[in-house]
Amino acid sequence: MATFFGEVVAAPSRAGVDDEESAEEAREETPEDREIRRKLEEKRELHVLWTPGAAAAAQSSAEEPWRCSRFVVAMGRNAAAFLSSFILDSVCWEVVGAVKLWNEWCRTPSTTNVLPTDSFCLFYRLISDPTVLLCQCSCYVAEDQQFQWLEKVFGRMQKEGLQVTILSTCPVADYKTQESTLTLSSPFLKALKTKEFKEQICCPLLEQPNIVRDLPAAVLSYCQVWQIPAVLYQCYTDVIKLDTVTIEAFKPLLSSKSLKNLVKDASESTKILKKLLTTNETHNNIYI
């Protein structure tokens, strides 16, 4: 969990566990148990598949980290739909990678031709400037897979000169305030940033004692440790499905320094947004 408010979080400890009990548990594990655990660990391994020309486009060899100036990560379907509607354009962007993973809550498809209802994680590069990367991640990355995601994604990027922008959504019920959440006008944005991020932010900072969780927190914490300028924009909403109002709550970010020169035609954005929502509604009706 990421807060950066100065709290001291105690690490879990097994100091009170009886040594004999631990030894007994180890003895009870059979070869069949170990084989099942090994296969489960293999199944839960996360794979990041990059296209063969991705390294060349980033002016790096296959072994060297890529030169990356901006990395924009949208986590969750509404954040991913925001990028699809207002930033991504098939003429200007191309897919350069995908994450393949399996866990109890999702399984990513084996194709990059995805629907708004799919669980997926795709990486795009700006054709005119290959140092600009975007990521749409609408799949659930389990706690034991988050470190793999960080190492395999950021391990391919040069950290010097890199700036990261994270977009995510969260239930408004998770927002902690002295006021009643019933009086809050949702959706609304809050920001959390690393010490190195010096640019102006597009919304108020997240107040104490609020925290962020899961992969957005992991990415922001990673950037804090590696001293990478990064900002997280979290949208608090009372709608969990694809929703026009929630998607458009991210629109203030279009004027930010990291996104303003990536924005596509407004009329085209409206068309794509309507298409995304129509496709999602049709899919939901089929399975009702």
Side-chain angles (χ1 to χ4, degrees):
M1 294 183 293
T3 62
F4 309 143
F5 294 128
E7 295 92 334
V8 177
V9 181
S13 172
R14 291 184 55 86
V17 177
D18 187 85
D19 292 339
E20 292 183 2
E21 182 181 340
S22 299
E24 184 178 348
E25 290 177 356
R27 286 195 297 270
E28 289 177 354
E29 186 178 48
T30 65
E32 291 79 7
D33 293 334
R34 288 193 292 271
E35 180 64 15
I36 291 172
R37 181 160 53 86
R38 184 186 66 81
K39 289 184 178 180
L40 184 59
E41 289 174 353
E42 288 180 357
K43 191 173 184 179
R44 295 180 70 87
E45 185 177 355
L46 183 147
H47 301 277
V48 182
L49 310 175
W50 302 103
T51 59
Q59 299 178 349
S60 302
S61 69
E63 294 78 17
E64 294 177 349
W66 299 351
R67 298 175 185 175
C68 187
S69 59
R70 279 180 285 174
F71 184 39
V72 181
V73 191
M75 300 177 186
R77 286 179 178 162
N78 281 299
F82 170 75
L83 288 190
S84 293
S85 303
F86 296 96
I87 304 294
L88 285 170
D89 186 323
S90 59
V91 176
C92 301
W93 299 84
E94 66 177 355
V95 177
V96 292
V99 171
K100 304 300 178 187
L101 64 85
W102 175 93
N103 57 50
E104 294 85 350
W105 296 101
C106 86
R107 180 188 304 171
T108 55
S110 57
T111 176
T112 57
N113 297 320
V114 295
L115 296 172
T117 51
D118 289 338
S119 294
F120 63 93
C121 185
L122 298 179
F123 298 90
Y124 303 81
R125 74 169 181 89
L126 185 62
I127 296 174
S128 60
D129 183 0
T131 66
V132 178
L133 294 179
L134 261 61
C135 173
Q136 286 181 302
C137 185
S138 70
C139 61
Y140 173 73
V141 182
E143 288 186 6
D144 62 313
Q145 296 173 318
Q146 291 171 12
F147 181 75
Q148 296 182 58
W149 195 98
L150 295 170
E151 287 293 297
K152 294 182 179 181
V153 172
F154 282 98
R156 296 296 296 136
M157 302 178 190
Q158 288 184 1
K159 297 175 178 61
E160 185 178 355
L162 173 63
Q163 181 169 298
V164 178
T165 302
I166 310 156
L167 284 61
S168 71
T169 56
C170 181
V172 71
D174 289 352
Y175 182 67
K176 294 177 175 60
T177 176
Q178 293 181 348
E179 304 175 24
S180 170
T181 54
L182 297 176
T183 64
L184 294 174
S185 178
S186 64
F188 58 89
L189 287 175
K190 293 290 182 178
L192 196 59
K193 62 187 183 71
T194 62
K195 181 180 178 181
E196 288 71 26
F197 189 85
K198 303 300 183 183
E199 294 180 9
Q200 183 176 357
I201 57 176
C202 302
C203 66
L205 286 169
L206 186 65
E207 308 93 335
Q208 298 186 51
N210 287 286
I211 59 175
V212 294
R213 297 182 174 87
D214 301 322
L215 190 58
V219 173
L220 195 65
S221 297
Y222 184 94
C223 293
Q224 178 77 3
V225 171
W226 285 93
Q227 300 181 338
I228 299 170
V231 59
L232 164 64
Y233 290 106
Q234 182 146 281
C235 177
Y236 287 88
T237 178
D238 53 5
V239 180
I240 59 173
K241 64 179 182 179
L242 272 178
D243 170 62
T244 306
V245 179
T246 302
I247 294 169
E248 292 187 337
F250 288 104
K251 287 179 72 174
L253 309 186
L254 297 177
S255 61
S256 66
K257 186 175 180 181
S258 59
L259 294 182
K260 64 181 180 181
N261 65 336
L262 303 177
V263 181
K264 62 187 179 186
D265 180 69
S267 60
E268 187 68 18
S269 299
T270 303
K271 292 178 184 178
I272 292 177
L273 179 55
K274 288 181 178 179
K275 183 179 179 181
L276 285 171
L277 295 173
T278 301
T279 304
N280 182 68
E281 189 66 29
T282 302
H283 183 277
N284 289 340
N285 290 338
I286 291 174
Y287 287 93
I288 289 178

